[in-house]
Amino acid sequence: MVGAAATTHRPPEIVADLRAVIKDYGSGERCIRVLDGLSLQVRRGDYLAVMGASGSGKSTAMNILGCLDRPSAGEYDLNGHATSTLDDDALADLRSRELGFVFQQFHLLPHLDALDNVTLPMIYAGVRQQERRDRAEAALLRVGLAERLHNRPNQLSGGEQQRVAIARAMVNRPSLLLADEPTGALDSVTTNEVLDLFATLHGQGMTVVMVTHEADVAARAQRILRFADGRIHS
């Protein structure tokens, strides 16, 4: 592996390209195959929902898409970068530049206000202080929290906290936003508000892949991918 991102000649409209990906855990008789030749292309501007029973491979696929795990075999290109050529440090750098993450739990730091929570990814990316503040304010404005910049998490509703988390995920202008059960901790009214926000962001050009177990949430996406036995069956 090398320490710099190797760029392939994939068309630029393909953001994520999984090709014949296999993921095994264990070895020999104890080997468990979780992904079995998975191929998937995520194109710029897609809004995909991922569904599947426990053990279907959807979480492992999301971990590979998020550069949190590596395939046992097969290839994964992220925005033209061949991830198999990268060492761990280079993969982490690619992840911070190209991906944004939204989780079921908001993972906000309780002692920081909304603005400071959103600036955190830019500190790690080496963005200068004034630009960090400007971009964080713009991201919070984009998710409808212009009046909540200086509120800490315990002063925000669940829906507002998730909006802060979404602002944080997109502040580094990622190529791909990965959302893992983003409405799982929210009531039905707040769920619809957050899904409306995802729809707005998608309409503005954001590429989104969202895992959910709720059919009505998945129905808000452009397309539903159903996982079973380590493959996509839809």
Side-chain angles (χ1 to χ4, degrees), residues 18 21 23 25 34-35 38 40 49-70 101 103-104 178-181 209-213 225-232:
L18 297 170
V21 166
K23 183 62 181 180
Y25 292 102
V34 181
L35 295 179
L38 174 67
L40 170 65
V50 175
M51 301 189 74
S54 178
S56 64
K58 66 182 187 301
S59 295
T60 301
M62 285 290 280
N63 285 341
I64 291 175
L65 281 172
C67 297
L68 300 170
D69 201 354
R70 296 179 183 269
F101 296 89
F103 301 100
Q104 178 174 338
L178 299 174
D180 189 0
E181 299 283 1
V209 177
M210 174 178 62
V211 169
T212 181
H213 67 278
L225 307 178
R226 301 183 190 278
F227 273 69
D229 302 320
R231 296 182 178 182
I232 295 171

Side-chain angles (χ1 to χ4, degrees), residues 14-76:
I14 298 175
V15 177
D17 190 3
L18 297 170
R19 301 188 301 282
V21 166
I22 291 171
K23 183 62 181 180
D24 294 332
Y25 292 102
S27 59
E29 294 182 356
R30 296 186 177 181
C31 178
I32 298 174
R33 178 150 295 179
V34 181
L35 295 179
D36 189 14
L38 174 67
S39 293
L40 170 65
Q41 287 186 337
V42 180
R43 296 180 177 272
R44 200 170 307 280
D46 275 350
Y47 183 5
L48 308 179
V50 175
M51 301 189 74
S54 178
S56 64
K58 66 182 187 301
S59 295
T60 301
M62 285 290 280
N63 285 341
I64 291 175
L65 281 172
C67 297
L68 300 170
D69 201 354
R70 296 179 183 269
S72 302
E75 298 293 332
Y76 173 36

Side-chain angles (χ1 to χ4, degrees), residues 44-123:
R44 200 170 307 280
D46 275 350
Y47 183 5
L48 308 179
V50 175
M51 301 189 74
S54 178
S56 64
K58 66 182 187 301
S59 295
T60 301
M62 285 290 280
N63 285 341
I64 291 175
L65 281 172
C67 297
L68 300 170
D69 201 354
R70 296 179 183 269
S72 302
E75 298 293 332
Y76 173 36
D77 294 351
L78 175 58
N79 206 25
H81 302 290
T83 63
S84 62
T85 68
L86 305 180
D87 62 23
D88 289 345
D89 288 342
L91 189 65
D93 180 65
L94 182 69
R95 180 171 62 242
S96 69
R97 288 188 288 108
E98 299 289 349
L99 297 169
F101 296 89
V102 180
F103 301 100
Q104 178 174 338
Q105 303 302 322
F106 316 126
H107 298 301
L108 302 178
L109 295 184
H111 61 285
L112 297 181
D113 63 19
L115 188 66
D116 286 340
N117 266 286
V118 174
T119 62
L120 283 175
M122 293 182 287
I123 294 174

